[in-house]
């Protein structure tokens, strides 16, 4: 069980910065990032897959086939 269920479900640079400022320490987002990098903390993305025991759960569909062209950005 989470200690603070009203808090953020994951820690981001923004939530770390806001929590630190709420604790009375004036710090910028870039400073938090530098501190974490200096300590060897690596960012991890939340997995986009999930499973559920809920019978109404609808899993993500497979990606579209290779025959569907991807949208390319216009050259600058």
């Amino acid at each position: 069980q989470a200690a603070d269920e009203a808090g953020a479900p994951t820690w981001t640079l923004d939530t770390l910065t806001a929590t630190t400022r709420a604790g009375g320490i004036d710090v910028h987002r870039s400073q938090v990032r530098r501190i974490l990098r200096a300590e060897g903390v690596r960012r991890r993305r939340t997995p986009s897959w999930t499973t559920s025991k809920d019978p109404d759960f609808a899993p993500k569909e497979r990606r579209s086939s290779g025959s569907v062209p991807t949208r390319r950005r216009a050259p600058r």
Side-chain angles (χ1 to χ4, degrees):
Q1 201 174 49
D4 179 14
E5 293 188 17
T10 57
W11 287 102
T12 64
L13 290 176
D14 293 330
T15 55
L16 285 168
T17 303
T19 303
T20 306
R21 285 183 176 175
I25 301 171
D26 185 27
V27 67
H28 294 274
R29 187 176 188 267
S30 60
Q31 290 173 301
V32 173
R33 183 166 94 33
R34 282 196 303 266
I35 292 167
L36 292 175
R37 290 184 81 190
E39 293 296 322
V41 176
R42 299 171 76 180
R43 291 177 38 173
R44 295 184 185 157
R45 291 182 182 230
T46 304
S48 62
W49 50 267
T50 185
T51 58
S52 175
K53 294 179 182 178
D54 182 4
D56 295 329
F57 176 75
K60 285 185 173 182
E61 296 293 324
R62 291 184 1 204
R63 291 181 177 242
S64 58
S65 69
S67 64
V68 178
T70 57
R71 184 177 292 177
R72 295 181 185 246
R73 289 183 153 189
R76 290 182 177 202

